[in-house]
Amino acid sequence: MIGIVVVSHSRPLARAAVQLALQMVPESKRPRVEVAAGLDETTLGTDAQAVADAIAQADSGDGVVVLTDLGSALLSAELALELAPAELAARAELAAAPLVEGLVAAVVTAAGGGDRATVAREAESGLAAKLDHLGRTPPGPADAAVSGAAEPAPAEPQPSLTVEVEITNPHGLHARPAANLVAELRGFDARAQLTNRTRGKGPAPASSLAGVSTLGLRRGDRLVASITGPEAQAAAAKLRQLAATGFGVDDAAELVAEADGQFSDQPQTGHQIVVGPVRHFSPVIDVSDYRPGDPATEQERLAQAIGAVLARLRHQADQPGEHAAVFSAQSILLEDPELMSTLQAGLTEGHSAVAIVEQDFSALANELAALDDPYLRDRAQDIRALARQITAELMGVDFNLGQASGVLVMDELDPLTAAALDPARCLGVITASGATTGHGVLIAAARGIPVVTGQPQAKRLPDKTVVGIDPVQGRLWVNPTMADLAELDKLSLERRNQATLAAELCQQPAVTRDGRRVLVEANIASLTDAKTAQANGADGAGLVRTELLFANWDHAPSAEEQAAVFRQLARGLDGRMMTIRTWDPGGDKPLAFLPQEPEANPMLGERGLRAMRRLPELFDEQLRAIALTSRRTPVRVMFPMVAQAEEVQWAVERLKQVLHHTRGNVVVGVMIETPAAAIRAADFAPLVDFISIGSNDLTQYTMAADRGNAAVAALAQGPKAAVWDLIEHAARAFAGRPVAVCGDLASQPDLAPRLVSLGVTELSVRPPLVGLVKLAVRTQA
């Protein structure tokens, strides 16, 4: 009997449709129906690997018919057939059918003994009864017009107008942008046939959402439209406009869609102390048993391996939260045409797939590792991680990290590995190298898995050695004594009790024992951050990291685009004050739309206001966005990376001009990140309303230690006497006015009382730590 697979973005929807369809046939004659829907019980999305597994489960040997709902579900189903074994894929057919009516028809036909082609055909005609009842006829491809209405054929052939555009949407032309394209073009008296030139798919009528979706248009693909009709010119102009604006779905909307409703009121922080046995995870895969085939075989093996890795990356990129962009960037990296061309050339020359992956990925990783830019150096880790994943697929090795238990020891923690770990089994991670700000470390911490980095001695520990780790202090205990365990238990209990009490009191103001109110705000770079901050009682956003918020945009966002994002953040914060930092590119925070010349020492190069003075139009556009936002919600602006008053004078003057034209109302501040700015803080007092001390940069500049360099990172971490002196000096210069701290020092609850005692009036911290920091402030005398 033919099996059936239902692919939907919603698991409850798919189950309900299956329940309805199965009621149409006796239980004894029901076909096997499998569901591959949603990413979990409540999260919308599709997973190609889950679809492939469902096809295998539904197949009895007679074949499988697959039904899907929206466009990206069809793309996942297509990718699933690429992932499935060839003999299974040959027995599966994707039906271009409506989900509910098509499923009912498919179940009834399969129960009656219909073959695969018959089941698919009946599913695709599932709308016939409804169309007949309404007195309508099915639209045919030959007369599919952009307007969606049947029109008489023109008296004589009309010339065709051809338009070609590039798809720039981060996730391609999925359901929302495809729907916008269809809706916008329907208003013209013209017919359009669309083709995906890059992937050789089409044509499909522009009036059909399903047809447009089947083109599989992804970012970078070339969309070609052949348009005829009286309003062809106008339709072509509209298509160009749509393509230039992301088909009406900008990155701000993507941010909102990914984050809305997908945050936890009690997020994991990955800061807990753990004790457990060591388990070593080796990234080295034994390839000695690999048996190479001919070039064609090797090309097929490599394509399947890369496809499997891409499927996992795309699945992670579709998950809500601020780290989705990391996986999206890795998938783009793996699809790099030059890299793929190099791999194919090596295979053609007779190299095996495992050899060419090792050779080419290692060469690229070494090239990146040799760069001065710490951000680009970190990308070498991403390259090595991709190579491991592809090699594992080629060798049929399953790291099975979801089952990994204990405290894992590894060279470095990459994003995919961090995402695969099960927080219920993996107690923690120790890395031999890497900094605390790597993508993998941040993702693990966000999932509640503590990580201690830069511990090369851990590689020499035998498996099952008992260790204790404290990610807050970055400490490692090997074979802890009874006294050590007692200390750790006490510290861990204190932190748990504090966390419970902090959660209960987080919505209350942080007031010291002598009656001083201290604002505890959050550092945010996404809507998820904003909602988490609000849920944890933040008094607002003390730092909006605009260069992270827009890091993956391929064009400089307009004032209106930025303001739309800022307003969403404001709603996430329930209208509380936002402090927006202007563009701070350079160093370890590059902007995709703002390429900069390589610098010998980028951390001491053209950053913050220094870069903006070269790009005043970009700066003014952001100031306009902040001013527009201020008309609806309370906003402060602060200027980063300054060393002298003249720089701030320039920025304030440009802001005044913008505010004059926009009638905005913005409070102005400056960041104190350099020793020069801290020592001369009084020079800024006549120019701005408040200061915010960026303790991370202030520490690394004061201690002359790059925080991304593991060899000297200890010098740039934790409280330093010289930095305390600079904070106190700057706070005195602004006595009686707001003085904030927004770096790592602010996020350490035990340091809050001392900061307050020095004259700090605001602390901007990581969103999950708001309650703990508030609790610490209340202990200040």
Side-chain angles (χ1 to χ4, degrees), residues 243 531 553 735:
K531 289 188 172 183
W553 285 49

Side-chain angles (χ1 to χ4, degrees), residues 93-118:
E93 183 168 348
L94 306 183
L99 183 62
V100 177
E101 293 91 343
L103 179 58
V104 171
V107 166
V108 172
T109 306
D115 59 17
R116 190 184 70 202
T118 302

Side-chain angles (χ1 to χ4, degrees), residues 565-578:
V565 175
F566 295 152
R567 285 195 290 269
Q568 289 294 339
L569 295 181
R571 282 193 280 271
L573 288 165
D574 199 24
R576 297 168 190 174
M577 173 72 75
M578 287 195 307

Side-chain angles (χ1 to χ4, degrees), residues 510-518 749-760 763 773-781:
V511 181
T512 64
R513 290 176 180 175
D514 60 1
R516 285 176 292 160
R517 169 78 183 273
V518 176
D750 57 320
L751 300 181
R754 184 172 181 183
L755 288 169
V756 173
S757 72
L758 296 180
V760 172
L763 298 167
V773 174
K774 278 189 168 185
L775 191 65
V777 167
R778 297 184 185 110
T779 66
Q780 171 66 31

Side-chain angles (χ1 to χ4, degrees), residues 83 88 145 335 376 476 496 523 567 627 642 657 662 682 743 754:
L83 298 176
L88 176 60
E335 293 175 303
L376 293 177
L476 167 66
R496 286 198 299 271
N523 303 328
R567 285 195 290 269
V642 300
Q657 295 176 16
T662 58
R754 184 172 181 183

